[in-house]
Amino acid sequence: DGGITQSPKYLFRKEGQNVTLSCEQNLNHDAMYWYRQDPGQGLRLIYYSQIVNDFQKGDIAEGYSVSREKKESFPLTVTSAQKNPTAFYLCASTWDSGGASANTGELFFGEGSRLTVL
Amino acid sequence: GENVEQHPSTLSVQEGDSAVIKCTYSDSASNYFPWYKQELGKRPQLIIDIRSNVGEKKDQRIAVTLNKTAKHFSLHITETQPEDSAVYFCAAHPKGSQGNLIFGKGTKLSVKP
């Protein structure tokens, strides 16, 4: 069954701790994305990756880090430098990252991970 | 860069009425405009999209219109049902942006029985 899987679904963190959110896809998508969702703010891009071993900062990358060692996996680390980490985090993937063709594709989202800082 | 404005932020309609959500974008080179529906606690899912070479697209009770001159696009839901209650996001894809959609802030639609 193809899809994109995030874990954990809920995560609690103490201030000063780093936490890593997992994102795995078996859709053979090249591009993967991390978004942060806050009430009334829509979806804001944290990081994205178009190919293995390469990734780019999005609009709100400060306090976050990522890696892309495998095509299927794009984990997000929320570091202690992120001042307001409590949020809903969504991972997404798509097969067409270039955007220049007529086949710009649908973003497939994971179920999300809700991080709460205690 | 691209900026997407979405209105209204909340919308309440009676079951059976129509609902319209509007978005404007700033980058005239944007060429792809999807709409996502997010039910409470769930992932956003694509419900309809439109490309810049088309003015209107329909899928059963859902339609999207695009006005490239005015740089706005709208989602129309007819004969609304309680299960249409959700948050709806519009997005725009600037040409050549490496696949990065720019999202509106969302509209919370409530359909009252």
Side-chain angles (χ1 to χ4, degrees), chain B residues 87-108:
Chain B
V87 178
Y88 292 81
F89 293 97
C90 64
H93 184 287
K95 189 174 181 180
S97 72
Q98 302 178 331
N100 297 338
L101 290 175
I102 307 300
F103 286 89
K105 292 188 175 182
T107 296
K108 183 176 181 181

Side-chain angles (χ1 to χ4, degrees), chain B residues 42-111:
Chain B
K42 297 192 175 180
R43 71 182 87 193
Q45 291 190 298
L46 181 73
I47 54 170
I48 196 167
D49 55 14
I50 192 167
R51 301 190 188 277
S52 57
N53 57 348
V54 175
E56 182 175 0
K57 184 176 179 180
K58 288 187 71 173
D59 183 3
Q60 299 182 336
R61 297 186 296 108
I62 294 173
V64 57
T65 58
L66 171 64
N67 183 326
K68 287 191 294 181
T69 303
K71 290 187 283 187
H72 68 70
F73 56 112
S74 299
L75 178 71
H76 304 254
I77 305 174
T78 59
E79 301 172 26
T80 54
Q81 301 167 4
E83 52 264 38
D84 293 329
S85 297
V87 178
Y88 292 81
F89 293 97
C90 64
H93 184 287
K95 189 174 181 180
S97 72
Q98 302 178 331
N100 297 338
L101 290 175
I102 307 300
F103 286 89
K105 292 188 175 182
T107 296
K108 183 176 181 181
L109 173 65
S110 299
V111 180

Side-chain angles (χ1 to χ4, degrees), chain A residues 55-75:
Chain A
F55 47 83
Q56 308 295 330
K57 292 182 179 181
D59 299 321
I60 56 167
E62 186 175 351
Y64 300 97
S65 66
V66 293
S67 63
R68 187 87 186 276
E69 297 177 2
K70 299 185 298 181
K71 186 175 183 178
E72 302 79 18
S73 179
F74 191 41

Side-chain angles (χ1 to χ4, degrees), chain A residues 17-81:
Chain A
Q17 286 182 331
N18 293 355
V19 293
T20 297
L21 309 180
S22 169
C23 179
E24 304 275 334
Q25 54 97 1
N26 60 4
L27 301 167
N28 200 32
H29 287 170
D30 290 315
M32 297 186 74
Y33 305 81
W34 274 104
Y35 290 91
R36 170 177 171 144
Q37 188 173 26
D38 296 284
Q41 293 293 319
L43 300 171
R44 293 185 289 170
L45 184 64
I46 304 172
Y47 267 99
Y48 65 99
S49 168
Q50 293 176 284
I51 56 172
V52 174
N53 292 323
D54 188 49
F55 47 83
Q56 308 295 330
K57 292 182 179 181
D59 299 321
I60 56 167
E62 186 175 351
Y64 300 97
S65 66
V66 293
S67 63
R68 187 87 186 276
E69 297 177 2
K70 299 185 298 181
K71 186 175 183 178
E72 302 79 18
S73 179
F74 191 41
L76 173 75
T77 296
V78 184
T79 75
S80 56

